[in-house]
Amino acid sequence: MPRVLKIYMWPVWFLGLFGQAKSFRANPIIGSRLLNRLGLHMMRVVLARLVAHIRWFFLMGKMPKKLRQDYARDGFCVVEGFLDKEELAAIRAEVLSSAGEARQMVQGNTATQRILLDHAYLANKPKLHALSEDRTFVNMLSYAGAKATAPLLYIQRIRNGRLEGGADPQKTMHSDTFHPTMKAWLFLEDVTPEMGPFTYVRGSHRLTRERFKWEYIRSCNAGRLSDGYSEKGSFRAGPEDLTAMNLPAPEGITARAGTLVIANTNGFHGRGQAAAGANRLEIWAYSRHNPFNPLPGFGLPFMNRIEHFFLHAYWRHMDKKAKSRGVPSSWHLISAREMFD
Ligand SMILES: [Fe+2]
């Protein structure tokens, strides 16, 4: 049956317009060429940005002014020496002795390995627990993500050239979605150019006339794109696209261990090219809010617990589904030893 005849799905697709739904392929309203020619996608883009500015205004006391200015101007900010040597050593020691629930996703030849910093994992890790509740840390991430609830925190290891496979799609510059979103990296090791540093196109989060035009044209054809990601709402941008948007070349953000980098991943970003076998170890933070909700919500600790509960339930559900098909789920379980070997 053609998808448009699935009448029972239309309310779901319609409601998706008012939330984070972004796939031009999965949602025929979001992917409608006619509606996007009439400006549907760009209306969502503009409205979501206006609403994010309202939430940033409410939360402005949570991040120092200089960093807010950097974040607004460049799309990212860098806090060097966020962890001093002793804190770094103590946190690294806890991380490397971990035996938590580690999961891995493979994209091309690169493996991303993560452990969620939830209540159970943090129970006997005092330094990581203190970091997860550190007001300076959590407040800055809350401001950047325009969401009062603390972000999800993970230990993350990116392992380049870990497997046989094609190019890592995260190494192409891309915007995660149509609205401002936050990701952050607290590096636990020095990041050199050979290690595939986080890479950002400075200033690319701004909705300039050129970005507006590029995004509008892309949205009109997005349902027909086939790079595997753009059609799902995460637009890829090659060098010629960046030139068309009058944007500078991507910059690899090298950093000393203990540096915190916070980025608006609506701007174009990706992983830097890395030598096979190179890897990065970091605390990784992620935050997304309903892009059309002007209120940042409440920073109540139990909200995190609820998010963790649903995340675990989702992973278990995906594990079961994958098992029934005889394949590993996209975020499949691995042993923590495999993460730190
Ligand atoms: Fe991304």
Side-chain angles (χ1 to χ4, degrees):
M1 175 165 60
R3 203 168 41 155
V4 289
L5 296 180
K6 291 183 179 170
I7 304 295
Y8 60 93
M9 284 302 293
W10 279 90
V12 177
W13 291 329
F14 179 73
L15 286 175
L17 289 177
F18 305 97
Q20 296 184 33
K22 62 176 185 171
S23 176
F24 295 86
R25 191 59 71 80
N27 185 324
I29 302 178
I30 288 172
S32 162
R33 194 173 196 181
L34 173 64
L35 292 176
N36 286 330
R37 279 191 168 177
L38 292 172
L40 173 66
H41 176 71
M42 295 317 297
M43 234 162 62
R44 294 183 86 214
V45 167
V46 170
L47 192 59
R49 277 164 195 257
L50 290 174
V51 169
H53 279 284
I54 295 172
R55 296 201 308 270
W56 276 321
F57 175 77
F58 282 131
L59 298 171
M60 64 196 290
K62 289 179 177 285
M63 188 188 259
K65 189 175 177 187
K66 165 75 173 68
L67 291 175
R68 273 191 277 128
Q69 286 172 336
D70 291 352
Y71 192 68
R73 184 188 61 240
D74 298 331
F76 65 92
C77 59
V78 179
V79 187
E80 284 172 9
F82 180 79
L83 293 179
D84 64 31
K85 270 189 176 167
E86 288 74 36
E87 290 170 322
L88 182 64
I91 286 177
R92 271 180 57 88
E94 280 190 2
V95 166
L96 295 172
S97 64
S98 294
E101 185 183 289
R103 287 182 177 268
Q104 171 173 280
M105 177 189 244
V106 175
Q107 291 174 298
N109 60 359
T110 303
T112 303
Q113 302 173 332
R114 288 185 191 150
I115 296 176
L116 179 66
L117 299 191
D118 60 8
H119 188 69
Y121 178 78
L122 293 171
N124 57 356
K125 299 185 179 61
K127 293 294 176 189
L128 277 167
H129 191 265
L131 175 70
S132 75
E133 292 188 349
D134 180 280
R135 290 324 301 165
T136 308
F137 182 54
V138 173
N139 280 350
M140 287 199 292
L141 300 182
S142 291
Y143 171 79
K147 181 180 179 180
T149 309
L152 294 170
L153 296 173
Y154 296 82
I155 297 163
Q156 173 169 275
R157 184 156 230 164
I158 309 284
R159 311 193 81 142
N160 298 279
R162 175 81 167 165
L163 308 119
E164 293 290 319
D168 172 6
Q170 299 305 334
K171 290 192 170 73
T172 307
M173 291 302 110
H174 63 276
S175 165
D176 282 347
T177 187
F178 68 94
H179 57 94
T181 50
M182 186 283 297
K183 286 180 181 168
W185 297 258
L186 175 55
F187 296 110
L188 301 180
E189 293 170 343
D190 291 347
V191 182
T192 60
E194 305 75 44
M195 291 167 75
F198 172 65
T199 300
Y200 199 90
V201 180
R202 194 180 285 263
S204 62
H205 63 303
R206 276 179 265 154
L207 190 60
T208 58
R209 211 157 57 127
E210 292 83 3
R211 169 88 187 254
F212 188 100
K213 187 177 164 195
W214 181 88
E215 185 121 3
Y216 172 74
I217 293 169
R218 182 102 351 166
S219 72
C220 295
N221 295 308
R224 289 169 184 78
L225 296 172
S226 58
D227 59 40
Y229 293 88
S230 295
E231 64 272 29
K232 293 177 186 161
S234 175
F235 287 162
R236 265 48 196 165
E240 64 292 346
D241 296 307
L242 299 181
T243 305
M245 285 182 271
N246 238 345
L247 289 169
E251 280 173 60
I253 301 171
T254 53
R256 300 293 300 268
T259 300
L260 173 65
V261 175
I262 309 174
N264 174 352
T265 53
N266 181 238
F268 294 105
H269 66 281
R271 291 179 191 147
Q273 298 300 329
N279 67 79
R280 287 184 347 218
L281 180 65
E282 58 220 12
I283 306 288
W284 182 74
Y286 166 89
S287 172
R288 260 179 212 186
H289 199 49
N290 181 322
F292 305 110
N293 180 356
L295 300 174
F298 304 99
L300 302 172
F302 74 86
M303 299 295 284
N304 263 116
R305 292 252 195 142
I306 295 172
E307 268 190 290
H308 294 162
F309 172 82
F310 281 107
L311 203 46
H312 281 295
Y314 172 75
W315 284 330
R316 281 196 300 271
H317 171 70
M318 296 309 282
D319 286 343
K320 253 189 209 165
K321 256 178 86 172
K323 196 176 173 190
S324 70
R325 299 202 318 267
V327 293
S329 67
S330 52
W331 278 105
H332 53 274
L333 285 163
I334 56 169
S335 75
R337 192 173 296 166
E338 199 179 325
M339 191 166 164
F340 300 116
D341 63 9

